Amino acid sequence: LTFFGTTPTPLIKKLIILFSVWLGEYYSEGKTIVNLGEKKKDPKLFILEDGELKVEKKLEIKIKDPYTKQEIPHNETHWIKICALESGAIFGEEVLMDEYEKEGYQYRISVIFHWYFILVSIISSLGDAKAACVLSITKRTLETIHPHLAEQLRVFFVRKHQQRLKIFDQLSADIAHKNSEKNQLSGF
């Protein structure tokens, strides 16, 4: 397992075969594919066929009055980029961890600008530039057809999630510290 959660090669091969029966979906730059806390009736797992995605988690900082140390009714929201995903990456597998009808995504995953797709779009006159191609399969289908593979993905997600939370905690602490210094300097 790598630091950014790249999927082990044998697992990728199995998933590509499984996902190959599904058509790819194309997304433009900036488009959010899954959103933190989003719950879907029939949640999906995804594999990135082409393009680059960013994985983000939300940090809410409660602002405090520096003199009274009481919270001011204001929060600052920061979206922290934890990592980037490239071709072959799996995402959305956190829905395997939840019971049916209670599944939710734990990250916001969106498309990063990619020049290759812009050039292809211009040359082929496709109009709207597409920056990522993603294959998907529903949780229910995966668990029905390949329960063993679903279990491997659960184990993989636990490790990947721990890595991402460690990164998130480090980046959150940095932002909170900078925010605290900024508020002290401004007398707020």
Side-chain angles (χ1 to χ4, degrees):
L1 226 50
T2 66
F3 186 67
F4 292 109
T6 301
T7 312
T9 304
L11 188 55
I12 288 176
K13 288 177 183 175
K14 288 178 188 175
L15 285 167
I16 288 174
I17 291 167
L18 179 63
F19 283 57
S20 65
V21 298
W22 300 94
L23 293 175
E25 296 176 60
Y26 292 91
Y27 295 91
S28 301
E29 175 194 2
K31 176 78 174 163
T32 297
I33 299 171
V34 297
N35 214 342
L36 174 71
E38 180 179 26
K39 297 189 185 299
K40 299 231 178 187
K41 183 179 179 197
D42 208 4
K44 297 177 181 180
L45 290 84
F46 303 87
I47 187 164
L48 179 59
E49 185 177 37
D50 251 330
E52 190 174 349
L53 307 175
K54 64 181 172 181
V55 177
E56 299 173 298
K57 196 155 181 72
K58 183 166 48 171
L59 171 66
E60 299 258 348
I61 298 177
K62 296 180 189 245
I63 307 300
K64 293 185 178 183
D65 183 320
Y67 304 110
T68 65
K69 300 297 181 199
Q70 292 181 347
E71 288 181 12
I72 299 171
H74 174 70
N75 289 341
E76 275 188 19
T77 301
H78 299 265
W79 282 97
I80 298 175
K81 180 180 174 188
I82 298 171
C83 66
L85 303 178
E86 295 179 349
S87 297
I90 297 168
F91 61 99
E93 70 277 21
E94 62 263 34
V95 298
L96 292 170
M97 306 304 285
D98 298 323
E99 296 175 31
Y100 281 102
E101 308 287 323
K102 296 183 181 178
E103 300 96 345
Y105 294 103
Q106 297 181 16
Y107 302 96
R108 177 170 76 179
I109 300 181
S110 353
V111 179
I112 297 174
F113 178 76
H114 204 288
W115 274 106
Y116 169 76
F117 288 100
I118 302 299
L119 293 173
V120 168
S121 296
I122 292 169
I123 292 168
S124 64
S125 301
L126 291 175
D128 189 24
K130 304 299 180 194
C133 179
V134 177
L135 302 173
S136 64
I137 189 168
T138 65
K139 171 186 174 179
R140 190 175 308 271
T141 302
L142 178 67
E143 289 183 327
T144 302
I145 296 173
H146 291 285
H148 181 69
L149 185 56
E151 188 54 40
Q152 286 180 314
L153 282 169
R154 283 185 189 92
V155 171
F156 173 67
F157 173 73
V158 169
R159 290 187 206 149
K160 182 169 75 170
H161 185 60
Q162 289 169 346
Q163 291 173 340
R164 288 180 176 172
L165 285 180
K166 192 183 276 187
I167 295 167
F168 178 75
D169 289 343
Q170 291 168 347
L171 295 172
S172 296
D174 290 346
I175 289 172
H177 179 73
K178 288 176 185 173
N179 193 55
S180 175
E181 286 179 346
K182 179 179 80 173
N183 287 340
Q184 287 176 353
L185 290 174
S186 67
F188 201 10

